[in-house]
Amino acid sequence: MIKSKKVTIHRDDQDSLILQKFGENLRKIREKAELSQEQVAYEAGFSRSYYTEVETGKRNISLLNILKICSFLKIEINDIIKLKDFSTK
């Protein structure tokens, strides 16, 4: 049996802040809708642990997964990506 080795990706401070802000936006929208992490994760087709990592800024979520969440929450992608305070490199 081959054991896989976990790869750790180191992000710079700016990237980490962007992921954290995205997660905060997502959490606020979810809480406003009075939904649990489990509910959103299930409806979007994710595990709760994956979804939790997105909300806490530990996971860099793909565009397709963002769209799944937006579809379930019935929101526009612009509602969730409010990162105007951050600039790109």
Side-chain angles (χ1 to χ4, degrees):
M1 175 187 272
I2 299 173
K3 290 188 177 185
S4 63
K5 184 175 158 183
K6 186 172 181 177
V7 176
T8 303
I9 298 172
H10 299 282
R11 295 186 176 93
D12 65 26
D13 291 341
Q14 183 72 5
D15 291 347
S16 293
L17 288 173
I18 290 170
L19 293 175
Q20 288 172 1
K21 181 63 177 167
F22 176 85
E24 288 172 16
N25 291 346
L26 181 56
R27 179 185 49 78
K28 287 175 186 176
I29 291 168
R30 176 184 56 78
E31 288 176 346
K32 186 175 180 182
E34 298 181 347
L35 296 167
S36 69
Q37 288 181 335
E38 291 85 1
Q39 289 171 303
V40 177
Y42 176 80
E43 293 297 331
F46 312 138
S47 69
R48 188 202 51 80
S49 61
Y50 172 85
Y51 183 82
T52 299
E53 289 180 350
V54 171
E55 273 197 12
T56 57
K58 295 177 183 172
R59 174 77 65 156
N60 188 2
I61 186 171
S62 73
L63 177 59
L64 295 176
N65 286 342
I66 292 170
L67 292 172
K68 288 178 186 178
I69 292 170
C70 290
S71 176
F72 170 67
L73 294 174
K74 295 180 177 56
I75 60 172
E76 297 292 323
I77 197 166
N78 295 347
D79 296 335
I80 204 168
I81 302 179
K82 294 181 181 176
L83 303 171
K84 62 185 173 198
D85 298 333
F86 297 98
S87 62
T88 57
K89 296 178 188 175

